Amino acid sequence: MKNMENLEEILNILLRGVNKGVPVGISNRHIHLSRKDMDKLFGEEAELTKLKDLSQVGQFAAKEVVTLCGPKGVIEKVRVLGPFRGETQIELSMGDCIKLGIKGEVRLSGNLENSSGITLVGPKGAIELSRGAIISQRHIHMNEEDGKKYGVSNGDIVSVKIDGVRGGVLNNVSIRIDNSFKLECHLDIEEANCLGLNPKSKLEIIK
């Protein structure tokens, strides 16, 4: 029995060490466009021009930018990310929502029902969307093997611990599992700045 307890303690120590290796991805405001909205903003059959690849496979930052217009303010040069999506989604920080004068609701990507509307302006036209602007819920991308390693399932809610002078614990972190995903915790720029994080930072999953 004592040997089993010692083995369990060793395994827990090893797992805590593994947990500290989750990389951080810091997200600034951006927009995912649908094909039809791309046509309206940039012209018929316009294509996205890749600027650089992002950490998640197949995702990229495009050279194209748009202007966001809300009831109280405007934000220019908001980067478009590719590839195209079925519905346009704008991901903002709370500060952005205050500047624009729209309701800032924390949502998982794709959950756009009753989200805030906004006006988009591109070089070839403008669109007034009835929904689509959200604050992205903090989340961790991982594949199934990572899920087994960390003992979590798709849709689980966990907390993460950040070390350092401005470190702390963030709750309500959603687990998103798909075998196309690369292990990474996505936080918006306000969360990252508050905790003193940078693209080289790592964090620990705690349950």
Side-chain angles (χ1 to χ4, degrees):
M1 180 67 72
K2 188 172 183 181
N3 287 340
M4 289 295 293
E5 289 176 354
N6 289 340
L7 179 59
E8 185 176 352
E9 184 178 353
I10 291 170
L11 287 173
N12 286 334
I13 291 171
L14 290 173
L15 284 173
R16 284 198 296 272
V18 168
N19 271 342
K20 291 182 179 178
V22 179
V24 174
I26 301 170
S27 178
N28 202 351
R29 68 180 75 98
H30 60 271
I31 180 169
H32 302 275
L33 287 176
S34 67
R35 172 72 262 185
K36 68 174 184 177
D37 288 344
M38 177 73 180
D39 288 345
K40 292 176 183 177
L41 295 170
F42 292 92
E44 289 253 351
E45 300 183 0
E47 295 294 338
L48 293 173
T49 309
K50 184 184 291 188
L51 179 65
K52 66 176 181 178
D53 288 316
L54 301 178
S55 58
Q56 297 302 315
V57 177
Q59 305 291 308
F60 63 92
K63 292 182 180 179
E64 286 74 22
V65 294
V66 299
T67 297
L68 307 182
C69 301
K72 293 184 178 179
V74 171
I75 299 178
E76 298 179 321
K77 297 182 179 180
V78 178
R79 183 72 55 193
V80 179
L81 302 188
F84 295 123
R85 292 200 177 179
E87 183 175 357
T88 293
Q89 176 175 294
I90 306 94
E91 297 183 32
L92 304 167
S93 69
M94 182 61 75
D96 292 334
C97 293
I98 293 170
K99 180 176 181 178
L100 291 165
I102 63 174
K103 181 173 60 175
E105 289 195 8
V106 177
R107 302 283 189 90
L108 279 175
S109 179
N111 180 11
L112 303 180
E113 187 174 355
N114 297 320
S115 57
S116 293
I118 198 167
T119 298
L120 311 178
V121 180
K124 298 292 185 178
I127 307 169
E128 187 174 348
L129 297 177
S130 61
R131 70 181 201 175
I134 64 170
I135 299 171
S136 179
Q137 181 177 342
R138 54 182 80 114
H139 57 278
I140 300 174
H141 288 289
M142 61 175 65
N143 60 32
E144 290 180 1
E145 185 177 342
D146 292 325
K148 292 177 182 177
K149 181 168 67 175
Y150 290 101
V152 294
S153 301
N154 188 50
D156 283 355
I157 302 297
V158 300
S159 297
V160 294
K161 179 183 176 183
I162 298 97
D163 294 326
V165 177
R166 303 195 71 183
V169 173
L170 291 176
N171 300 319
N172 300 317
V173 184
S174 180
I175 298 295
R176 310 205 75 178
I177 296 179
D178 188 281
N179 280 333
S180 67
F181 290 159
K182 178 181 176 182
L183 182 63
E184 191 172 54
C185 179
H186 283 188
L187 305 174
D188 73 28
I189 196 165
E190 290 180 342
E191 294 169 321
N193 286 344
C194 180
L195 293 162
L197 297 173
N198 62 60
K200 295 182 179 180
S201 299
K202 294 187 178 182
L203 49 77
E204 177 184 358
I205 297 174
I206 56 177
K207 299 178 185 178

